[in-house]
Amino acid sequence: MSADVSVDRRRLRHQQTVDEVVATALEVMTESGAGAMTLGEVARRMGIRPPSLYVYFRSKDALHDEIFARGWIEAAEAMHTYEDDLVRTTDAGAFLVEAATGFVRWALEHPAYAQLMFWRPIPGWEPSTSAYEPAVRLLDWLGASFTTLQQRGYLDRKVELDELVDVWNVLITGLISQQLANEPKAKITSSRYFALIGPVVQTYLARYGTAPTPVSRGKKR
């Protein structure tokens, strides 16, 4: 066996273990909340001693960082599926409902990720600069999408882009937070907050849209 093959196999085993640690941590967080996740509990579920985890994560905060970053990467992958819809849309309301529905649905289907992404449930922890980069990239993508809507005449061009994005984020993450805080175990299809996506988009367009536009649920995904 060549040295390169041996190194590749070690890297693969290392990454597989990292993925297992993250999956186990998410399992704990889903069951008991982000604050209940400890390296000791993760190690116990994996059947290893806690010190063994330090080979993969130097601290619990490092594991939080990994989960935070992965959450934003996965959320971005879900949102990028709407890029073609943005290009083709002739109905800003329908597009915004569709994109908001996709984002809220993803967050509610991944509550453990969402806890770290939208809240700060761990005393003393905040994401590192490197862990925050995927969130910044998705925010940049959102800004570019709203710029496109402005340029095509769907959103008021006199309004600063930062305001358009910030207000949108407050509204959509607010829906997510209300759902996770008040109806964490409700089915998405019967969630009263999920059902408010349409009215929230209508409210947003009433303030920032350039003309009345019908708002529908958009396509189911």
Side-chain angles (χ1 to χ4, degrees):
M1 181 185 299
S2 70
D4 288 343
V5 171
S6 180
V7 169
D8 287 343
R9 286 187 175 179
R10 285 198 299 271
R11 288 175 178 168
L12 177 60
R13 286 196 297 269
H14 181 92
Q15 186 58 51
Q16 288 173 335
T17 304
V18 167
D19 293 342
E20 184 180 358
V21 172
V22 170
T24 305
L26 288 170
E27 179 183 274
V28 176
M29 292 166 62
T30 299
E31 293 174 4
S32 306
M37 192 274 288
T38 65
L39 294 182
E41 177 60 15
V42 171
R44 185 189 70 78
R45 294 192 183 202
M46 293 179 63
I48 61 177
R49 298 181 61 187
S52 299
L53 290 181
Y54 290 101
V55 175
Y56 308 98
F57 295 98
R58 66 182 183 278
S59 66
K60 187 168 71 169
D61 283 352
L63 179 52
H64 287 142
D65 273 0
E66 179 69 13
I67 293 170
F68 181 90
R70 287 191 183 205
W72 282 108
I73 290 170
E74 291 189 20
E77 290 173 352
M79 296 313 297
H80 288 327
T81 63
Y82 295 93
E83 289 178 345
D84 289 342
D85 294 341
L86 173 62
V87 172
R88 293 193 303 264
T89 190
T90 58
D91 183 341
F95 169 74
L96 289 174
V97 166
E98 193 173 355
T101 297
F103 188 70
V104 174
R105 182 184 294 277
W106 182 91
L108 298 183
E109 290 176 346
H110 299 83
Y113 279 131
Q115 291 176 62
L116 294 188
M117 292 165 65
F118 306 120
W119 301 343
R120 290 293 177 267
I122 311 299
W125 172 80
E126 61 180 40
S128 65
T129 300
S130 60
Y132 203 76
E133 286 179 359
V136 173
R137 290 197 296 270
L138 182 54
L139 193 63
D140 289 343
W141 176 85
L142 182 62
S145 298
F146 276 42
T147 296
T148 297
L149 292 175
Q150 271 190 312
Q151 291 172 343
R152 294 179 63 184
Y154 293 124
L155 296 177
D156 191 342
R157 296 184 184 183
K158 297 189 297 293
V159 179
E160 292 291 332
L161 180 63
D162 285 348
E163 180 177 339
L164 291 175
V165 171
D166 287 345
V167 173
W168 178 261
N169 279 332
V170 168
L171 292 172
I172 301 307
T173 59
L175 283 178
I176 294 168
S177 290
Q178 287 295 313
Q179 180 64 37
L180 292 178
N182 295 292
E183 295 184 351
K185 296 182 180 180
K187 292 183 178 179
I188 292 177
T189 53
S190 60
S191 160
R192 59 174 171 156
Y193 297 104
F194 190 76
L196 292 177
I197 292 174
V200 164
V201 171
Q202 286 180 320
T203 301
Y204 183 82
L205 289 176
R207 173 63 181 85
Y208 297 113
T210 55
T213 181
V215 174
S216 63
R217 279 261 177 207
K219 294 182 294 184
K220 291 184 179 180
R221 293 201 177 213

